[in-house]
Amino acid sequence: MEIKVLHQIMDWNEDVSEDVKTELASHNICMINVMGSPGGGKTSLITSLIGILRDRFRIGVIEGDIAGQADADRIAELGIPAVQLNTDGACHIEAMSIQHILPELPLEDLDLIFVENIGNLVCPAEFRIGESLRITLLSIPEGDDKVEKYPLMFTDTDCLVLNKYDMLPYFDFDEERICSNYETVNPGAPLFRVSSRSGDGIKELAAFIAEKAETAGKAGA
């Protein structure tokens, strides 16, 4: 019975995810699901990307947290429409939550929405939220064993961002191990080496996102 209920929940989420995707397509909006561990630098990465992409795209942000408002306030200070989505204990964002919160954003005035998912390398990978693009972030201090321990997160993503790359000299981090494991579970998917602090690699990641956003926008037109 428990397995049957789980399948029903997942199927229901997939249906809602498709509804969200249809809604966003009607506005020619590309939504990006940013996933990674707590403290991995998701908010800093999003703010860095906004700095590069805002001249080309009208951007909004949905900040997912179990509780609190700090990250949404930080984004709003940039003059970007931002809404806080608190899950009150849930370890991931579901499509229904996105569907409910989308009306709080000015959809007619947006081209691109970043969703910062809950800090977690397990549950967010299992739930589609209507996104056009998935980004998985792994910071150098987290260690080089994460692809082996949490394969779904790295298999079901459009790219991997090695964040805080400027810290590589200070940690016992086997970059070759990560690259090899990632290539095994997600062959051909791009990997970006990024430092939000120095700005290294941000332009390359932004260019990748811009290309995907343009494609999604044309598909929805």
Side-chain angles (χ1 to χ4, degrees):
M1 179 63 72
E2 185 174 330
I3 294 176
K4 182 178 179 180
V5 170
L6 178 61
H7 279 303
Q8 289 174 338
I9 291 172
M10 300 299 289
D11 290 345
W12 169 75
N13 185 80
E14 285 295 318
D15 290 342
V16 178
S17 176
E18 288 301 316
D19 290 342
V20 170
K21 187 175 288 188
T22 299
E23 171 68 10
L24 292 171
S26 71
H27 296 280
N28 299 327
I29 293 174
C30 174
M31 188 166 73
I32 301 170
N33 186 0
V34 182
M35 304 176 292
S37 299
K42 295 187 296 297
T43 308
S44 294
L45 179 68
I46 290 171
T47 57
S48 296
L49 289 169
I50 287 172
I52 295 175
L53 294 168
R54 67 186 306 166
D55 291 337
R56 185 172 175 182
F57 300 99
R58 300 170 297 171
I59 302 172
V61 176
I62 297 173
E63 278 291 341
D65 283 298
I66 290 176
Q69 177 78 24
D71 289 341
D73 290 342
R74 180 177 169 187
I75 298 295
E77 288 175 358
L78 301 175
I80 296 294
V83 293
Q84 186 71 47
L85 196 167
N86 292 133
T87 63
D88 297 322
C91 61
H92 60 276
I93 294 174
E94 295 181 2
M96 179 64 77
S97 298
I98 296 295
Q99 190 176 56
H100 285 164
I101 208 167
L102 277 179
E104 297 187 27
L105 287 170
L107 298 183
E108 294 293 342
D109 300 319
L110 297 179
D111 307 304
L112 195 62
I113 297 175
F114 286 102
V115 178
E116 180 176 341
N117 216 311
I118 306 300
N120 191 330
L121 286 178
V122 183
C123 305
E126 299 178 354
F127 289 84
R128 290 279 172 179
I129 58 173
E131 69 270 54
S132 300
L133 183 67
R134 285 185 148 197
I135 294 176
T136 294
L137 182 149
L138 176 68
S139 67
I140 297 300
E142 292 177 65
D144 54 29
D145 58 353
K146 297 302 179 286
V147 177
E148 297 160 68
K149 290 184 175 181
Y150 309 101
L152 181 61
M153 176 61 74
F154 299 91
T155 301
D156 196 6
T157 189
D158 295 293
C159 71
L160 171 61
V161 175
L162 282 184
N163 198 31
K164 305 185 182 181
Y165 194 71
D166 54 310
M167 302 183 75
L168 185 62
Y170 309 105
F171 287 85
D172 185 15
F173 186 95
D174 187 344
E175 185 177 356
E176 184 178 343
R177 178 184 184 185
I178 281 287
C179 293
S180 176
N181 289 333
Y182 181 55
E183 175 64 24
T184 297
V185 301
N186 202 345
L191 183 152
F192 297 91
R193 296 161 177 84
V194 167
S195 168
S196 298
R197 173 176 291 182
S198 68
D200 292 342
I202 295 291
K203 288 183 179 179
E204 290 79 4
L205 177 59
F208 172 77
I209 291 171
E211 180 181 356
K212 297 294 184 180
E214 292 285 4
T215 300
K218 291 175 182 176

